[in-house]
Amino acid sequence: MEHKTGLEEYYVTRGQKKMRLGYTTGSCAAAACKGAVYMLLGGKKIDFVTLMTPKGIELSLELLDTTREENKVTCAVRKDAGDDPDTTDKILVYATVERRCEPGILLDGGIGVGRVTKPGLSQKIGEAAINPVPKAMILREAREAADACDYEGGLSIVISVPQGVEIARKTFNPRLGIEGGISILGTTGIVEPMSEKALIESIHVEMKQHVAQGEEYLLVTPGNYGADYLREHLNLPFEKNIKCSNYVGETIDMAIDMGVKGILFVSHIGKFVKVAAGIMNTHSHSADGRAEILASNAIRAGGSLECAKAILESSTTDEALDIIHENGILEGTMKEIMNRIQFYLNHRSYEQIRLGAVVFNNIYGYLGQTEDAPLLIEKIRAQKTQS
């Protein structure tokens, strides 16, 4: 009979589809730790432990790959990300617990758990990348298990993830200054598939780290196209760019809250043309209107009604730009769009921060930049020189 974790009745709806919840690496680490403490101090092998998550959902998790040495027990819990496309899905998270003579509990990371090498994160430089909530969960479970076994001595806990070294290369960790492995994460203990909140939080964490290193002017790209263009065509510190995905508005809001002085966005026209209509979440599920924005600005640049109709019937921004180019109004249309991007960026920030954008596509290359872009480029270059 298949073991039930306690999540069988929980799901979220994304795009009219029911999607299973999962549990975090933090929950795995806490459960493995609890099991290892019980086996070390109780002397008996156990196969399952229960764990109350900060979300208020109780989990029942299986303990795997248990090994025992003198005064030391190691066991693992397998991560289940539910229906979330998580790179850590199905990995084993291990806890090794050992008696120690000194009182208190020591917690550290082993193989596959990253080490912090830059300021601005929740942990100090040199510490294991075990976030505050998972850390609290692990220590709580260890204390409760020790108390249940009437043990008053000290414990040493090491969390390890053998696959973490390889997996970390596919995450933001190297950009954040976390080397050698993954982070042990989870504020609720539960994974919600494709959580918008989690994506925004990852941007917040990366931005905070940049600010902690003294960056007052930030370089932001929505995705890989922008990052590639930045690396290949602009004399700017590519390695400093932050990816904001579709969350232009939230990125601006977070920067203002952190006291950032300016942001330069470098983006493909397919994303940033939406900003010219005040659309600050550029995901197509949130809003589109790309053809309508291009058509209206083509008319402002002197385009004919026939030109506008052809743009509205186009399938992609690249096709629309071909039409605009063939009508001889590409430069004028882009100037109109840049003016409106600048207006709406300023409107979002209430002009509390300097904002600008450089926009391109893969066929025509550079298409234009907003009024404040040149100053921001200058500031970012100067900032690199000073660092």
Side-chain angles (χ1 to χ4, degrees):
M1 184 177 178
E2 186 178 352
H3 173 68
K4 292 186 179 295
T5 64
L7 286 176
E8 286 74 18
E9 302 303 318
Y10 292 92
Y11 64 89
V12 294
T13 302
R14 303 281 187 233
Q16 301 179 351
K17 181 181 178 182
K18 287 185 177 181
M19 306 188 79
R20 295 186 305 115
L21 302 188
Y23 43 88
T24 63
T25 50
S27 290
C28 293
C33 175
K34 182 176 186 176
V37 172
Y38 270 120
M39 286 188 276
L40 176 67
L41 302 179
K44 295 180 180 179
K45 185 178 185 298
I46 58 176
D47 296 319
F48 301 94
V49 292
T50 58
L51 176 79
M52 180 56 71
T53 63
K55 182 83 169 177
I57 298 174
E58 186 175 67
L59 300 173
S60 173
L61 301 178
E62 185 178 7
L63 302 175
L64 303 167
D65 201 15
T66 299
T67 58
R68 178 184 290 276
E69 302 173 39
E70 188 176 358
N71 290 325
K72 182 190 293 186
V73 170
T74 298
C75 65
V77 170
R78 192 177 300 280
K79 165 78 177 287
D80 182 355
D83 286 328
D84 191 64
D86 190 328
T87 56
T88 62
D89 188 35
K90 301 298 184 289
I91 64 169
L92 288 173
V93 179
Y94 286 80
T96 299
V97 180
E98 187 173 8
R99 286 188 178 93
R100 55 191 298 267
C101 297
E102 298 81 5
I105 300 175
L106 293 182
L107 173 62
D108 202 359
I111 185 171
V113 174
R115 291 272 161 190
V116 175
T117 64
K118 295 180 182 179
L121 298 174
S122 302
Q123 306 84 8
K124 296 177 182 177
I125 292 176
E127 290 184 347
I130 302 174
N131 277 20
V133 172
K135 182 177 181 179
M137 291 171 66
I138 294 164
L139 294 175
R140 182 193 70 209
E141 297 301 331
R143 289 191 191 99
E144 290 183 1
D147 290 344
C149 295
D150 295 322
Y151 177 73
E152 296 180 355
L155 294 171
S156 171
I157 303 165
V158 176
I159 305 300
S160 56
V161 185
Q163 294 172 264
V165 177
E166 179 62 30
I167 290 171
R169 298 190 182 105
K170 305 173 186 176
T171 71
F172 279 117
N173 276 13
R175 295 163 60 93
L176 296 176
I178 299 172
E179 300 293 340
I182 65 169
S183 301
I184 303 300
L185 300 172
T187 55
T188 67
I190 300 298
V191 176
E192 293 190 19
M194 296 184 289
S195 168
E196 188 173 87
K197 182 179 179 182
L199 285 170
I200 293 170
E201 178 59 25
S202 70
I203 299 166
H204 184 273
V205 170
E206 185 172 8
M207 185 182 295
K208 184 179 176 183
Q209 189 253 341
H210 280 256
V211 172
Q213 293 182 67
E215 294 179 33
E216 296 180 319
Y217 294 88
L218 303 179
L219 192 54
V220 175
T221 58
N224 291 331
Y225 283 153
D228 290 344
Y229 184 83
L230 176 62
R231 181 178 60 246
E232 295 168 10
H233 299 289
L234 295 178
N235 181 25
L236 287 169
F238 163 78
E239 70 281 358
K240 296 290 187 180
N241 86 90
I242 299 169
K243 288 185 182 178
C244 70
S245 185
N246 297 298
Y247 307 107
V248 176
E250 286 85 352
T251 298
I252 293 169
D253 297 344
M254 289 186 283
I256 292 171
D257 186 57
M258 291 185 200
V260 170
K261 291 184 178 179
I263 301 174
L264 177 69
F265 293 93
V266 178
S267 176
H268 188 278
I269 186 72
K271 285 281 188 188
F272 238 66
V273 69
K274 299 178 185 180
V275 178
I279 298 168
M280 293 291 159
N281 183 329
T282 58
H283 197 291
S284 57
H285 288 171
S286 177
D288 196 347
R290 289 171 296 177
E292 289 80 3
I293 297 164
L294 287 166
S296 62
N297 284 285
I299 290 172
R300 289 189 178 105
S304 66
L305 182 59
E306 289 72 22
C307 172
K309 285 181 177 179
I311 294 168
L312 290 171
E313 291 170 1
S314 64
S315 301
T316 65
T317 51
D318 286 345
E319 184 183 347
L321 289 179
D322 286 341
I323 295 165
I324 294 168
H325 181 260
E326 289 164 6
N327 279 265
I329 53 170
L330 182 59
E331 183 177 346
T333 302
M334 288 302 107
K335 183 177 179 181
E336 295 288 344
I337 287 173
M338 295 308 122
N339 288 341
R340 279 156 184 80
I341 289 174
Q342 186 72 69
F343 172 82
Y344 282 110
L345 288 175
N346 291 343
H347 180 72
R348 176 68 181 220
S349 69
Y350 295 102
E351 300 190 21
Q352 298 176 78
I353 183 174
R354 184 83 66 171
L355 298 167
V358 174
V359 180
F360 66 93
N361 90 326
N362 297 334
I363 297 170
Y364 298 100
Y366 173 85
L367 292 172
Q369 62 186 21
T370 65
E371 181 181 358
D372 286 346
L375 176 62
L376 288 163
I377 291 171
E378 180 183 320
K379 292 287 188 182
I380 291 169
R381 285 175 179 163
Q383 186 171 259
K384 180 187 179 184
T385 304
Q386 293 165 9
S387 63

